[in-house]
Amino acid sequence: MTDDQLPELRASDADREQVAERLREAMAEGRLDMEEFGERLDATYKARTYGELEPITRDLPAGARPAPGPAPAASKAWAERIGGAGTSSTAIAVMSGFERKGFWTVPRRFDAFALMGGGEIDLREARFEDREIVINCVTIMGGMNVIVPPGVEVDVRGFGVMGGFDRRVCEDGDATEPGAPRVIVTGFAFWGGVGVQRKMTRAEKKQLRAERKQRKELG
């Protein structure tokens, strides 16, 4: 908070957005877990004054404190992950399984089919060919799991017969980060299911645990 931002002064929408953006960055850096991020984000949008905003980012590194001005329109980190030709456009499992994970480029449309089998489509370390991609999952007596990183907008549109698509990720309250891609999960499940999860990578979780340990040691 600068000298001209007295605690009792009313905060603007731009001030709240700047704090929200810092929280998103902190989560991406592993400084906040999903639960902490959600709690602080909720407090940010409820804050009425600078005095209420200031404590929300007090324990975060430099640049965390609010100052007037618009929030950045897009995240540089996301901009660097969007673009390039897709490296794999289909996956098939017939009484077997498949995986798409690690460093790969997701095309505008990815088609996956499983018959009495299963598969995992992990987007946490992936690049994205475009800002909006479609993951089309068709499973018969099988299952699939789609994993997306925090901050990505998810729209689940698939339907099932004696099966279904997990839509909880659309209702978890996780804020979409500026510039992040949109993932549409669609398709059909018969006697099977398609799960959709929002998770950090192991490296991000490890970093988060290290940060927590360091804070605890410092008291």
Side-chain angles (χ1 to χ4, degrees):
M1 187 184 304
T2 58
D3 293 338
D4 59 340
Q5 293 175 338
L6 298 176
E8 64 272 16
L9 290 180
R10 289 275 178 167
S12 68
D13 288 341
D15 297 323
R16 283 183 281 270
E17 271 306 318
Q18 190 167 15
V19 174
E21 174 62 19
R22 182 65 195 105
L23 293 175
R24 295 182 187 110
E25 291 175 358
M27 183 179 68
E29 295 163 355
R31 301 181 192 279
L32 298 175
D33 61 21
M34 293 287 288
E35 183 177 354
E36 291 173 310
F37 170 74
E39 292 172 353
R40 295 194 190 200
L41 192 66
D42 184 57
T44 297
Y45 287 119
K46 289 180 179 178
R48 294 173 297 174
T49 66
Y50 287 120
E52 293 173 344
L53 278 179
E54 198 276 339
I56 295 172
T57 54
R58 182 181 293 160
D59 60 346
L60 297 178
R65 298 187 177 186
S75 165
K76 181 180 178 182
W78 280 118
E80 293 174 348
R81 291 180 62 176
I82 296 175
T87 54
S88 176
S89 61
T90 59
I92 299 174
V94 178
M95 293 186 287
S96 60
F98 69 80
E99 281 188 343
R100 292 293 185 275
K101 61 191 298 185
F103 299 99
W104 64 298
T105 300
V106 190
R108 291 183 179 86
R109 181 184 174 94
F110 183 86
D111 292 297
F113 174 76
L115 171 63
M116 298 178 67
E120 182 172 274
I121 305 166
D122 191 338
L123 311 181
R124 288 176 293 177
E125 296 178 298
R127 290 182 58 85
F128 300 82
E129 185 175 2
D130 206 345
R131 292 193 178 278
E132 181 173 287
I133 66 167
V134 175
I135 306 291
N136 182 55
C137 300
V138 176
T139 178
I140 300 173
M141 293 184 286
M144 294 185 201
N145 194 35
V146 180
I147 305 174
V148 301
V152 169
E153 180 184 357
V154 182
D155 183 2
V156 180
R157 302 179 182 177
F159 67 98
V161 175
M162 292 183 285
F165 283 67
D166 187 351
R167 289 178 166 78
R168 288 175 296 178
V169 71
C170 302
E171 304 167 356
D172 64 6
D174 184 62
T176 301
E177 295 179 6
R182 183 180 189 221
V183 176
I184 300 172
V185 181
T186 186
F188 173 70
F190 177 70
W191 277 16
V194 176
V196 185
Q197 298 176 291
R198 198 190 305 275
K199 294 169 61 177
M200 291 186 288
T201 65
R202 290 182 179 178
E204 289 170 338
K205 290 178 180 179
K206 184 178 180 180
Q207 182 180 355
L208 179 60
R209 287 195 296 268
E211 291 279 350
R212 285 177 170 172
K213 182 179 179 181
Q214 185 178 26
R215 289 199 298 267
K216 185 176 181 180
E217 290 174 348
L218 293 174

